[in-house]
Amino acid sequence: MDTIFYNGVIKTLDSAWPQVSAMAVKDGVVIALGSDEEMLALAGEETKKVDLGGKLAMPGFCDTHMHLLFYGSFVRRIDMTNAKSWEEIRQWCVEDAPKAREEKRWILGSCFNQDYWSDTRKMPDRHDLDAIADDVPIFLQRACGHIACLNTKALQVSGLWDERADTTKETMDFGEDGLPNGYIRENTTSIPQAIFGNYSLEETKDLLEMACKNALKKGIVQVHTDDFNIIGENDLEKNLQAFKELVEEGRLPIRVYEQIRFQHPDQLQQFLDMGYKAKQRIGRFKFGPIKLLNDGSIGSHSAALRQEYKNDPGVKGLSLFSDEELYQMYDLAQKNGYDVVTHCIGDASLEQVLQTVDKVIKKYPRPNWRHGVIHCQIMDAEQQDRFKKMNLVAYVQPIFVKADSNVVDDCVGPELAKQSYNWRRYIDMGVHMCGGSDCPVEPFDPLPNIYHAVTRKGSNGKPWYPENGVTLDEAVAMFTKEAAYASYEEDERGTLGVGKYCDMVVLDKNIYENDIEELLNTSVVMTVIDGQIAYEK
Ligand SMILES: [Zn+2]
């Protein structure tokens, strides 16, 4: 026996052994569960004994949609998450300007949300940013990631300054003077990011490793992460190489299930020609589904809706794929054995996906596919019924209700709002639903995410359609068991049953005994992967 964990409150999430105090592990796998006495009796001379100190232990968490590399790159930006006003943000940029000028770098900011500002709700345009500095490029990205604000210098350096409304293919806005006003959206945000975020292979490895180490501190043992063609286009080979080298060098401390992002069928075809197979593993790295981004966000009114935004007449958001292109992507993936997970926030975007999946699964039937929809926010009950009928996996971000509860009713009206984000109904229908943070949109901490899944509380502290929430057990399952299902690993991980990998998190408080509000004051004291302590507070 390699290790005995004892004196714990071990919630296995396995119905055969719901709760035990001790667990025996060999070669990274749970081989026996029971009382302290029973398990300690199995110890040999070499066995390591780990006292869990009476604390709650449970299967390690998995975040099923986030962006490791993007998060890593954000560490080099000013974090604007907690800004209470535009003035506060302006000050940060003013202070950073002399250093940026000296170091010949950009002024970078991330995660602002003007919905929380006290002085204005207007995002800064290029004139506002030029007033801070007109000789240093400035790039500030909204929390949703779908929109960024640039000053004139940044537009020039990015080659976007000469674009005009009637000729451009870029997603960007123009002022009354006909010139770019500094707002750029969706794919276009990757143009400046490819310039200032053109990391070397070594930098990429460092950023990924740092992100994984920080995830461990939150009890995360696996991430489903979307890292390719997101900071820059065509960086797949470099980023894949980074993961391979991290594996070889023993520097990948958590499991990575890559959501492989493409925006064009020819990019996807090139990848398929490289010969990697779906679910192929390279150490802790595993090829996951093809990831597509099909629309924007609710807050920036870029999520594709079937009806106009109720608070923005004439605007319906934007689907990034045409029906034909979307079909081509699914067709290529499905016939090559890959699943597809598509970012859909609006109901029009979801509708495209529902119709496309229906076609491809009939054309190329294959057993046990697990296509999914990431976010799946705005929808009506009829679409949700079809979602279930097609056995799609729902990848939801419960913590999004914090911000979205402030805007969704105004954007789509209460009738559609209460049918949307309806996690209760997903579970009642038997849909596999897993949880994620979309980090860096929200921090990759599963505990607050679980909290919002249960309480449905918005940033104002008020529950938002609380009847659409889930129980604590169901919320925990979203970050453990159901996450393992999404990556075809339900027989390997996601519970601490006998025969499963010993991936475990130990918390300082028992979330099952405390008031739900205590969840926000609960922290991780130990994270175990393959039976080894990978993080200890
Ligand atoms: Zn995302």
Side-chain angles (χ1 to χ4, degrees), residues 58-114:
M58 52 201 283
F61 298 130
C62 172
D63 188 317
T64 61
H65 178 63
M66 53 100 70
H67 308 270
L68 275 180
L69 188 55
F70 208 15
Y71 163 83
S73 76
F74 270 41
V75 173
R76 301 190 173 182
R77 302 185 184 188
I78 304 169
D79 179 5
M80 301 179 163
T81 313
N82 296 320
K84 295 279 180 295
S85 63
W86 156 241
E87 181 51 27
E88 209 174 323
I89 285 184
R90 204 187 63 81
Q91 279 298 337
W92 290 339
C93 295
V94 166
E95 277 167 36
D96 193 39
K99 268 185 283 165
R101 198 171 281 124
E102 194 187 309
E103 293 167 17
K104 295 194 170 41
R105 61 165 172 81
W106 294 46
I107 297 173
L108 302 173
S110 62
C111 291
F112 76 79
N113 187 343
Q114 78 281 7

Side-chain angles (χ1 to χ4, degrees), residues 13 69 110 113 118 133 140 200 224 255 300 311 340 361 386 489 500 532:
L13 305 193
L69 188 55
S110 62
N113 187 343
S118 57
L140 309 183
S200 67
H224 296 206
R255 303 178 198 279
S300 64
N311 52 356
V340 182
I361 57 179
R386 280 187 286 146
E489 292 169 328
K500 301 278 175 83
Q532 309 274 345

Side-chain angles (χ1 to χ4, degrees), residues 7-8 26 33 39 145 175 183 232 238 272 284 308 335 359 371 386 391 423 483 493 495:
N7 187 28
K26 186 157 176 52
L33 295 155
M39 294 302 108
Y183 299 158
K238 180 179 75 190
L272 293 168
R284 281 182 175 152
E308 292 175 2
K335 75 177 169 208
K359 275 192 237 167
H371 297 295
R386 280 187 286 146
N391 266 321
W423 313 321
R493 314 178 37 262
T495 79

Side-chain angles (χ1 to χ4, degrees), residues 359-397:
K359 275 192 237 167
V360 292
I361 57 179
K362 285 176 184 150
K363 188 168 170 196
Y364 308 105
R366 71 177 155 90
N368 195 27
W369 47 261
R370 294 181 191 179
H371 297 295
V373 177
I374 297 179
H375 308 309
C376 31
Q377 289 167 205
I378 308 299
M379 66 174 65
D380 64 19
E382 187 273 332
Q383 288 181 311
Q384 205 176 15
D385 291 340
R386 280 187 286 146
F387 195 104
K388 163 64 192 159
K389 232 170 106 188
M390 288 178 214
N391 266 321
L392 289 165
V393 177
Y395 291 76
V396 309
Q397 291 65 39

Side-chain angles (χ1 to χ4, degrees), residues 155-211:
L155 287 163
Q156 287 166 342
V157 174
S158 308
L160 294 168
W161 179 242
D162 296 327
E163 299 290 340
R164 292 296 173 267
D166 49 350
T167 53
T168 188
K169 289 199 176 92
E170 299 302 334
T171 23
M172 55 193 292
D173 297 3
F174 295 86
E176 278 169 13
D177 55 6
L179 298 170
N181 70 358
Y183 299 158
I184 63 169
R185 298 168 189 273
E186 307 308 333
N187 291 352
T188 303
T189 62
S190 66
I191 294 175
Q193 295 188 80
I195 297 171
F196 63 72
N198 185 17
Y199 303 115
S200 67
L201 178 63
E202 284 309 316
E203 277 178 305
T204 305
K205 284 162 65 181
D206 289 346
L207 292 175
L208 287 171
E209 185 187 25
M210 177 268 295

Side-chain angles (χ1 to χ4, degrees), residues 65-67 226 230 261 291 343 374-375 438-439 441:
H65 178 63
M66 53 100 70
H67 308 270
D226 164 9
I230 176 168
R261 177 196 288 233
K291 156 80 196 290
H343 165 122
I374 297 179
H375 308 309
D438 204 8
C439 179
V441 177

